[in-house]
Amino acid sequence: MKKIKILIIEDDAEISRLTAMYLEVEGFESKIVDDGEKALATIKHYLPDLIILDLMLPGMTGIEICKQSRAFYQGPILVLTACDDDVSEVSLLKLGADDFLTKPLKPHVLVARIEALMRRSKPNMPIDVHTGHSKIHIDQASQQVIFEEKELILTSSEYEMLVLLERNIGNIVSRADCCQALRGINYDFNDRSIDMRISGLRKKLNDDHMPYKIITTVRNKGYMLFNG
């Protein structure tokens, strides 16, 4: 199956690196451009299926890139904005953007937006079907979680943690990735709050006594959602 190609136009090296890493874990192909002047040429050469575009860039602003690229690029553009950017949602849509997210990014929200945009723009393009935990059902639209046919009442941070673990079911999720889901993509991961959130999830999943059967701890590596 052909991978969906995503062009990340972002001058913050750490944000772009972490975004690309997370997208590639999710099965996307990605490329990074860190300068507005190079962006238009890269769009023409790389032919991405979707563009993630930061507004504040050196060389040429994201607004100009969005306007000029629409002369030749028809794919979806997902704009990244800071909370204090003086650009409204209506203005972004009029300039040619299809959707926008504010920083700091939450990885599972980013992936959900990308999948929604791809379904709208290329309804016949196959997108990998995610197979989740047999006893856990997550409705990302309503953020409702059902476990063993009962609704779980989770905090927002517990929900974000569970989504990350469930999307990577059977694979180890590092503490760094957990922190990105918990606090945003640009977060320093030296924090014991991760253990608190995992402990809270285990209690609500009736898995708070060793040996853990649902969320396992992989020593010195991270956590894994086990579908046993």
Side-chain angles (χ1 to χ4, degrees):
M1 184 182 297
K2 179 185 175 183
K3 286 189 174 183
I4 293 172
K5 296 165 61 176
I6 298 178
L7 179 62
I8 303 167
I9 306 174
E10 166 67 72
D11 67 320
D12 187 307
E14 187 67 4
I15 290 178
S16 59
R17 182 185 70 82
L18 291 171
T19 302
M21 180 181 69
Y22 191 84
L23 291 176
E24 286 164 11
V25 167
E26 292 292 326
F28 298 102
E29 177 185 320
S30 66
K31 184 178 182 66
I32 297 170
V33 177
D34 61 2
D35 187 283
E37 294 288 357
K38 302 174 184 175
L40 295 175
T42 306
I43 295 170
K44 293 177 181 178
H45 175 73
Y46 185 59
L47 300 176
D49 296 301
L50 180 142
I51 294 171
I52 297 175
L53 175 63
D54 185 33
L55 281 187
M56 303 303 294
L57 293 164
M60 181 183 294
T61 67
I63 290 175
E64 274 304 309
I65 292 168
C66 194
K67 288 168 61 178
Q68 293 190 34
S69 67
R70 279 311 186 200
F72 60 87
Y73 177 73
Q74 303 304 315
I77 297 176
L78 176 60
V79 168
L80 305 183
T81 72
C83 293
D84 57 353
D85 282 342
D86 190 22
V87 182
S88 69
E89 179 180 359
V90 173
S91 298
L92 290 171
L93 296 175
K94 286 183 177 180
L95 290 169
D98 295 276
D99 200 354
F100 77 99
L101 284 174
T102 56
K103 298 178 182 178
L105 298 178
K106 294 182 178 179
H108 74 277
V109 175
L110 174 64
V111 170
R113 294 290 184 90
I114 289 171
E115 291 175 347
L117 287 171
M118 292 309 304
R119 283 194 295 269
R120 291 202 295 267
S121 67
K122 296 186 178 182
N124 297 321
M125 173 180 277
I127 298 176
D128 288 341
V129 176
H130 170 64
T131 302
H133 195 281
S134 60
K135 296 181 180 179
I136 299 172
H137 174 72
I138 301 175
D139 184 337
Q140 292 202 33
S142 64
Q143 296 194 354
Q144 182 186 52
V145 178
I146 303 296
F147 174 64
E148 294 184 333
E149 301 183 357
K150 294 182 180 179
E151 183 177 359
L152 294 185
I153 306 302
L154 304 179
T155 66
S156 60
S157 56
E158 288 171 347
Y159 171 80
E160 291 165 3
M161 185 80 72
L162 182 61
V163 168
L164 179 63
L165 292 170
E166 202 262 352
R167 290 196 68 89
N168 293 277
I169 190 167
N171 297 307
I172 299 169
V173 179
S174 70
R175 287 177 58 82
D177 288 338
C178 288
C179 282
Q180 290 165 27
L182 178 61
R183 297 289 183 87
I185 206 163
N186 194 25
Y187 179 66
D188 180 3
F189 59 84
N190 293 316
D191 194 311
R192 303 309 297 175
S193 62
I194 299 305
D195 303 315
M196 294 172 56
R197 299 324 189 269
I198 291 292
S199 177
L201 271 177
R202 282 174 170 157
K203 287 180 181 178
K204 292 175 182 180
L205 293 168
N206 299 320
D207 188 40
D208 54 339
H209 297 290
M210 295 183 67
Y212 304 120
K213 297 179 180 179
I214 299 177
I215 301 177
T216 60
T217 301
V218 183
R219 187 174 177 83
N220 297 324
K221 292 186 177 180
Y223 302 99
M224 181 173 71
L225 186 66
F226 182 68
N227 196 10

